[in-house]
Structure formats: structure tokens, C-alpha cells
Amino acid sequence: MQEQYDITDWLPLTMNEVQKRGWDELDVVIISGDAYVDHPAFGTAVIGRILESEGLRVAIVAQPNWQDDLRDFKKFGKPRLFFGITSGCMDSMVNHYTAAKRKRSTDAYTPGGKAGFRPDYAVNVYSKILKELYPDVPILVGGIEASLRRVTHYDYWSDQLIPNILETSDADLLVYGMGEQPLREIIKLLNKGVPFHQLTMVPQTAYLRPVEEGVQKNKNWKDITLNSHETCLKDKKAYAANFKHVEQESNKTFANRIIQESCGKHLVINPPYQTMTEKEMDQSFDLPYTRYPHPKYKKRGPIPAYEMIKFSVNMHRGCFGGCSFCTISAHQGKFIASRSEESILKEVDQVTQMDDFKGYISDLGGPSANMYKMKGIDQDICDKCVSPSCIHPVICSNLDTSHKAMTEVYRKVDQNPKVKKAFVGSGIRYDLLTKSYNKKADDSIDEYMEQVLTRHVSGRLKVAPEHTAPETLKIMRKPSFDHFKEFKKKFDEIDKKHNLNQQLIPYFISSHPGCEVEDMANLACETKEMGFELEQVQDFTPTPMTVATVIYYAGVHPYTLKPVNTPKSKKEKEKQNRFFFWYKRENQDWIRNELQKVDRYDLAKRLLNKPKGKSQKPKWLQEAHDNKSKGKSKSKNSGKRFKKRR
């Protein structure tokens, strides 16, 4: 089907494509750190199509070379309205580096998965180049990198506090969060003749003004003043205190305007728009995407990120989980914006027409798969709420957690004759599916879970308990591990009932703020005793605009300003991560020694003694037992020192 498209069905990447459209001038040029994929899961495509729908002439400069004569930045000349800049679907530093700050060898958003096609701190680099080349053309920045760096923030990779990205990039205006609503308003005002520098009252935008000019008043907005950037540099608690306000205002129905003094200027962050309506969501997803990468990439190899999602359908945005380590609500908001059933089914039909479609939808989901159409029962209560999470420390009594709408969509997708199977590949909030935690849940959670496990799992269901330690889970804003145990019991019952033989795969994080070595040892014990050998694990990575990152840098919780211990050194982080792999032979002595140091012989016994049951017996333990039985132990004194101390 891709061959049926003409080159002009994509937004132009070259002057030749611009000329084929008969354009002699461009209104907007978008600079992106990602390759151009014309698909609604890629922000550059969404923004480009939004601008196009407003009647503008738009072109894209994808992954420009910033190290040569800058010809990529010059090829389209000056746009009539502005340059738009995004680092891509990921923060460029997260894209480039591991939690251990090692450079990644691949880039999922580049053809062939090749690294090196975007700079570190891409928004800053692109913006400064354009300011040098075209100083009189306004620059609008957006996307996740700009959005999450909109105030003074801690940068893990340089290990320092950095001022807002408008200051570091020299850009003129910032759109934070999902950009459809502010972008349409900006275009409307510019088309009316409003100068770019006067775009100061558009919701969900931020800008800088010299302190001596003051801040223009708005009778509809109340102001909150944060500690200045300079104060934050001197006082970590002042920085931490700022975050509480930023997070709360990002997740209110009716938020306040935020003002922070920084580098001799006022940073002004206007309140966000209210959650997109179903009609607005449909309008965004129903734009004329080809759903394919631009043809210029054919000879360079597949784009890994696209290959993962090309047969997927996004049903909604936002997440009300509010997890301390996650940036979703900071960027997409906590209130759920859902598409209509009709729009979703229409996209499913489009997917079935794509090249290489073999009958399998890879994902029917969203940031958290099972939040589609969930919202407050009484909107007035939601309008007054300042909580960053609707389900922590308990599930809000005003939250409608019915899973019926999702189950209905899944069933209708199943009825499509060209769909053999539609998987739910997005993460599922298992706590919403347990009646021990979701106490007011109706029977729809049982119906949903049975539907998912029997029809929409490819043999492995991934969920994210993240940890087992109560104090660590509290800081994470995650429920007690007991609820995961209940979920597993429910999973096993359905699995046995239908003779499915499927696996439950839990995700866990090490080195999270508040986590001690003993907590990791206990995590290993708990999961071992449940029959797991962990594989979906990761080390905590501090990213801008999360509670956990604030704790990592400041050493205190932003809501209480009380100290929280955090593993920070390379040695500490490696030590915690190693407990995940208790079943590896080379870790046995190390674990024994580490637990001896903290007098936790009980944990060592649970973790290293011969497990009960066949499913619990790691291969190395069986081999060690067999060798000992045959008199092949390497040392007669092996393990005696530990036994003596015990």
C-alpha cells in the first residue's frame, strides 16, 4: 500500500518536494531529532499535520547535521512564521545514555538503529544554530525534552542544576505537554496579525521577559512565584520546594500561572489547557497520516521504534498513576483524554490495509493500557483536586474505574475479519484489577482481565510492581506488594481455567530513592519464593520533572522536605542491581558476604538455601548440590565461615 502514495502525501523533507507542491514559501519549518515517520505516535508528524490542517505550508528538517556547514538548517530558508524545534520522542540525553551514563550504541528513532544522528541537548543545539543563521525568525520549542525542562531542573548527565530551557536555548516560546491546543491558538493569533513576541496569554506556553519589564497581568489567572534559579543553586531545599508547586499546577483542572526569576529574567509558565475532549482527540488522530516513514529512508534500513508500533493503535493519553519516577503525567497530564470508539476502529481498519500486515495488532493501549475513558464521577470534585495521583495512597472514591468500555473496544476489534489477534502491549495497572486495592470496583475488572488473558496476550503479560519494600513503594507512589500477590493469584486461576500456560513478567527498579540494600535482598527473596527469575529490571535513572529525581539531587522529599536516603555512587547502584540476579552462580558468594555485613543472615538463608519446588530451583543450585553429593566440592571449608558467624 505504501507504493500507492505519492511523495507529496508526506510532509516535505526536501526543496524538490516543496516545489512539487507548488509552494514558493514556507510558513513553518520543523526541526526534529528523530527521523520523519508520518504516524500519530510520532510527535513531529502530529504537529506537522496539525499545522497543515490549519492551512499552513510546512516542511520538516529531520535529524539535521549540526557538525558540517549547516546546509540542512539553510535548505528551506526563512519560514514566514517561525521555526519549530523538538528533540524527538525522547529527551536526547535519555536517548543517548544508560542509567550508568554509558553511551548507547543504537538509536531506535534513526534508520538502521544507528547512533550519532542527533546531538546531546538537541533542543539547545538546534535553537542556537538557527538564532545564529536567522536571528530575526522566532523559534518555538516543544516535545518532551523542552516540556520537562521548562523550569530550573536537575540534569543527571552533567550533575548540576540547569535553568529553564528557554534560557539555555535562546528560543522565544515554549509549548509544554501535548501541543495540539496551544498550537492551534498560536496559529489563530498569528494569522490575525498578532506579533510573535506578544503571544503571552496562550495557555500551556512559557516565555521569558526581562525582570525590569515586569509580568503582564491576567485577571483570570492567579500567580505562584517559585524560588529563583539563583536561590535554588544555593539551597537544595528551595529547589525541592519548587517542584511541589510545578507538579500540582501541571495536574489541576484550573491551574495557576507560575513565575520564576532566572538569570535576570522572569520565566512565565501559563496554566495548561483543560483535558482534550473526545472530539479534539479524534481530530488529532484522524489527520491524513500515511502511517509510514518517509520514502527517503528505504535504503538506510528500518527504524526500530517504528517497527515496534507500526501495527499499534493508541486509544488514549494521560495517566493518573502519578508514579514518582515517571514523566508521563508531567507531559500528558493526569486526566485521561480518550478517543471515540469509532475513531479507534477506523484506525484499526487503516492498519489492516498496511504493507506486511499479517493479522496482528501489536498494541491496543495507551500510557497505561487500562485507563481508557476513566474519569471522575463528579467533575466538581476533580476541579478542586490538587493530588498528583488518583490512585495513591488509595484509589479515589470519585474515580470511575469501570473497564467495560475497554472490553467492548477489544471485542469489536476482534470482530474485524482481517484481525487475527489484537494484543495489549502497553503496561496494565494491575492494582486497578485487584479488589483488595480497588475496593469499589465492579465486576467489569474480572470481565476485562479474562478478556485480556484469553484474547490479547502473546504468552507473556508484563506488569510493574516496581518493588516489594513498603517504604520504597510509598515513595514511588505504588501500592503494597501484597496486591501484586493477589493479582498473580487471579492471573494463575484464569491461566489454569483456560489451560493457557502463560507467563506473568513483573518489572522492578533498583537504586530508587528510599531503597536500601536489605530492601533489594528482600525483593530477591520475595520474587524467588513466588517462582520468578527476574529479567525485566532496570536501574533508576533520574530524569527532569519527577519526584524521584528531585529526591536524588536534593536529598529530601519535595512534599515534606524531610531527608530520604538515595543510592548515588556507581558502586551502590551496581550492588543493588546485582540482587536481581541471585540465580546466577557468580553472585552466590557475593550475596552471602553482602548480607553478612548488615547482619541479615535470615535473608541470606531464604535467598541461597535450596529452594522448595521444581519451578524454584535454579540450575546452578542443582549443579552445586549434585557436585557436593559426589564429593566434588571445590573446598572443604566452603560456606563454613558463614555458618559459624550465624
Side-chain angles (χ1 to χ4, degrees):
M1 185 179 173
Q2 183 173 354
E3 286 70 23
Q4 298 176 9
Y5 286 106
D6 187 82
I7 192 67
T8 54
D9 290 321
W10 281 267
L11 297 172
L13 286 184
T14 66
M15 272 305 297
N16 183 48
E17 293 168 50
V18 170
Q19 291 163 359
K20 281 190 174 184
R21 288 175 172 246
W23 296 344
D24 56 5
E25 182 185 33
L26 290 167
D27 298 309
V28 178
V29 173
I30 300 173
I31 315 291
S32 173
D34 290 343
Y36 169 38
V37 179
D38 193 39
H39 187 287
F42 291 78
T44 299
V46 175
I47 295 307
R49 292 298 185 183
I50 292 287
L51 293 169
E52 180 187 51
S53 73
E54 293 292 327
L56 300 186
R57 296 161 293 184
V58 188
I60 297 172
V61 179
Q63 299 190 314
N65 190 331
W66 72 100
Q67 296 171 307
D68 61 2
D69 60 3
L70 307 180
R71 68 187 68 180
D72 288 340
F73 294 89
K74 302 173 187 176
K75 64 182 177 182
F76 293 125
K78 292 183 181 182
R80 182 176 65 89
L81 296 178
F82 59 84
F83 284 106
I85 295 177
T86 173
S87 69
C89 291
M90 294 177 67
D91 183 286
S92 56
M93 302 306 288
V94 178
N95 178 281
H96 284 173
Y97 299 94
T98 68
K101 299 185 181 180
R102 289 191 295 267
K103 196 77 178 276
R104 299 186 192 274
S105 58
T106 59
D107 184 337
Y109 294 89
T110 301
K114 293 182 179 178
F117 281 81
R118 85 184 82 213
D120 287 355
Y121 306 105
V123 170
N124 290 344
V125 173
Y126 295 157
S127 184
K128 285 182 178 294
I129 287 172
L130 289 173
K131 276 299 178 186
E132 284 289 324
L133 295 174
Y134 307 106
D136 57 333
V137 180
I139 293 176
L140 173 66
V141 295
I144 197 160
E145 182 168 311
S147 182
L148 301 184
R149 295 173 181 267
R150 61 185 181 263
V151 294
T152 294
H153 57 279
Y154 172 68
D155 181 74
Y156 173 64
W157 298 273
S158 62
D159 192 25
Q160 62 180 328
L161 279 192
I162 295 180
N164 65 83
I165 199 167
L166 285 168
E167 180 65 36
T168 57
S169 69
D170 295 332
D172 299 284
L173 189 66
L174 182 154
V175 168
Y176 65 91
M178 308 309 285
E180 291 99 327
Q181 294 161 295
L183 197 59
R184 289 188 187 278
E185 180 65 14
I186 287 167
I187 298 307
K188 176 184 172 183
L189 293 172
L190 291 176
N191 283 339
K192 284 183 177 181
V194 177
F196 198 95
H197 71 275
Q198 290 184 15
L199 298 174
T200 58
M201 294 298 168
V202 179
Q204 213 165 303
T205 63
Y207 61 92
L208 293 173
R209 287 293 180 270
V211 169
E212 57 269 22
E213 290 184 11
V215 177
Q216 188 178 354
K217 297 294 182 182
N218 184 313
K219 64 180 182 180
N220 297 315
W221 296 339
K222 293 181 180 179
D223 293 341
I224 288 181
T225 302
L226 302 181
N227 294 308
S228 71
H229 175 68
E230 288 71 22
T231 300
C232 292
L233 290 175
K234 298 174 184 175
D235 184 352
K236 290 184 176 181
K237 279 192 176 182
Y239 160 71
N242 279 355
F243 180 82
K244 177 181 177 181
H245 297 299
V246 174
E247 184 178 49
Q248 287 183 337
E249 299 306 322
S250 298
N251 290 302
K252 281 183 181 178
T253 304
F254 303 105
N256 297 308
R257 183 168 64 172
I258 294 174
I259 299 171
Q260 182 189 31
E261 191 172 326
S262 177
C263 308
K265 300 169 188 172
H266 278 134
L267 166 69
V268 182
I269 304 176
N270 292 338
Y273 276 92
Q274 291 186 37
T275 307
M276 290 175 70
T277 64
E278 184 175 276
K279 182 179 178 181
E280 288 171 327
M281 284 286 285
D282 288 354
Q283 187 179 16
S284 181
F285 279 88
D286 293 347
L287 292 167
Y289 306 99
T290 64
R291 295 186 67 87
Y292 293 102
H294 191 278
K296 72 170 284 186
Y297 303 123
K298 277 188 176 180
K299 295 181 180 179
R300 291 178 53 190
I303 299 169
Y306 170 70
E307 294 300 312
M308 287 180 63
I309 58 85
K310 66 179 177 180
F311 301 134
S312 69
V313 176
N314 194 336
M315 295 169 58
H316 59 280
R317 291 181 185 159
C319 179
F320 48 69
C323 298
S324 297
F325 48 83
C326 182
T327 60
I328 291 171
S329 62
H331 186 60
Q332 295 190 14
K334 76 170 182 178
F335 296 111
I336 306 302
S338 299
R339 300 168 63 184
S340 70
E341 190 178 89
E342 292 74 20
S343 177
I344 293 167
L345 295 176
K346 177 183 174 182
E347 188 176 355
V348 169
D349 281 333
Q350 290 176 329
V351 171
T352 64
Q353 303 299 318
M354 294 178 68
D355 297 338
D356 301 325
F357 180 72
K358 305 298 183 184
Y360 300 97
I361 302 288
S362 60
D363 185 23
L364 279 174
S368 288
N370 56 327
M371 290 186 181
Y372 176 67
K373 288 203 171 180
M374 290 188 184
K375 60 182 181 179
I377 299 167
D378 183 344
Q379 186 59 42
D380 288 341
I381 294 175
C382 293
D383 291 346
K384 298 182 181 73
C385 180
V386 298
S387 174
S389 174
C390 301
I391 54 177
H392 184 84
V394 295
I395 294 179
C396 177
S397 59
N398 189 50
L399 180 65
D400 179 1
T401 62
S402 172
H403 285 60
K404 186 174 180 59
M406 282 170 282
T407 306
E408 286 300 312
V409 171
Y410 296 167
R411 286 174 176 162
K412 288 184 179 180
V413 172
D414 280 350
Q415 291 169 8
N416 189 307
K418 295 181 180 179
V419 175
K420 295 177 182 176
K421 197 159 188 177
F423 298 113
V424 177
S426 304
I428 288 176
R429 285 295 304 217
Y430 72 87
D431 44 359
L432 291 174
L433 297 167
T434 57
K435 288 187 177 177
S436 61
Y437 193 66
N438 191 359
K439 292 181 171 58
K440 294 188 176 181
D442 58 23
D443 291 340
S444 69
I445 64 170
D446 299 323
E447 186 181 21
Y448 173 85
M449 192 163 169
E450 190 132 355
Q451 173 75 16
V452 168
L453 293 184
T454 57
R455 292 290 307 158
H456 307 288
V457 175
S458 61
R460 310 176 96 207
L461 179 67
K462 298 175 182 178
V463 296
E466 307 294 9
H467 219 286
T468 61
E471 286 305 308
T472 306
L473 287 167
K474 183 178 178 181
I475 293 170
M476 287 178 162
R477 295 178 181 157
K478 297 286 286 187
S480 165
F481 192 65
D482 289 340
H483 303 297
F484 173 74
K485 291 178 180 177
E486 184 192 327
F487 178 81
K488 185 180 184 302
K489 181 181 177 182
K490 192 172 178 181
F491 174 93
D492 291 341
E493 287 171 354
I494 296 173
D495 198 61
K496 184 177 180 181
K497 174 183 174 183
H498 296 278
N499 195 28
L500 295 172
N501 196 30
Q502 296 182 143
Q503 284 184 292
L504 184 63
I505 309 296
Y507 281 77
F508 290 96
I509 296 176
S510 60
S511 304
H512 192 278
C515 180
E516 305 285 352
V517 167
E518 292 168 73
D519 296 326
M520 290 304 300
N522 190 70
L523 186 159
C525 290
E526 290 251 24
T527 54
K528 173 196 171 187
E529 289 162 1
M530 291 178 73
F532 293 113
E533 288 187 4
L534 302 181
E535 53 182 80
Q536 297 293 337
V537 299
Q538 65 182 58
D539 194 39
F540 168 66
T541 304
T543 53
M545 201 71 82
T546 70
V547 172
T549 298
V550 173
I551 297 172
Y552 179 90
Y553 170 74
V556 298
H557 196 290
Y559 280 72
T560 65
L561 299 183
K562 292 182 179 178
V564 177
N565 184 53
T566 303
K568 297 185 74 171
S569 71
K570 182 179 179 181
K571 185 176 180 180
E572 284 179 300
K573 292 166 78 68
E574 287 178 347
K575 182 187 294 186
Q576 289 214 5
N577 192 263
R578 199 169 177 180
F579 275 99
F580 285 137
F581 308 105
W582 57 268
Y583 50 85
K584 292 185 177 181
R585 174 182 288 180
E586 62 267 27
N587 288 338
Q588 184 178 15
D589 287 339
W590 178 87
I591 288 173
R592 180 183 292 114
N593 291 334
E594 287 300 315
L595 293 177
Q596 279 182 331
K597 292 176 185 177
V598 291
D599 293 328
R600 290 307 305 266
Y601 308 109
D602 58 322
L603 290 176
K605 183 178 180 181
R606 285 172 63 192
L607 198 53
L608 300 177
N609 276 14
K610 181 179 177 180
K612 296 178 181 179
K614 292 182 180 179
S615 64
Q616 298 283 348
K617 189 179 292 182
K619 186 177 179 181
W620 63 264
L621 271 179
Q622 182 62 53
E623 289 175 350
H625 173 76
D626 293 344
N627 287 337
K628 188 174 181 180
S629 299
K630 295 174 183 178
K632 293 182 180 179
S633 177
K634 290 183 179 180
S635 170
K636 293 181 179 179
N637 296 318
S638 177
K640 283 187 177 179
R641 181 166 58 91
F642 173 66
K643 291 177 182 177
K644 186 177 180 180
R645 285 194 62 182
R646 196 177 79 181

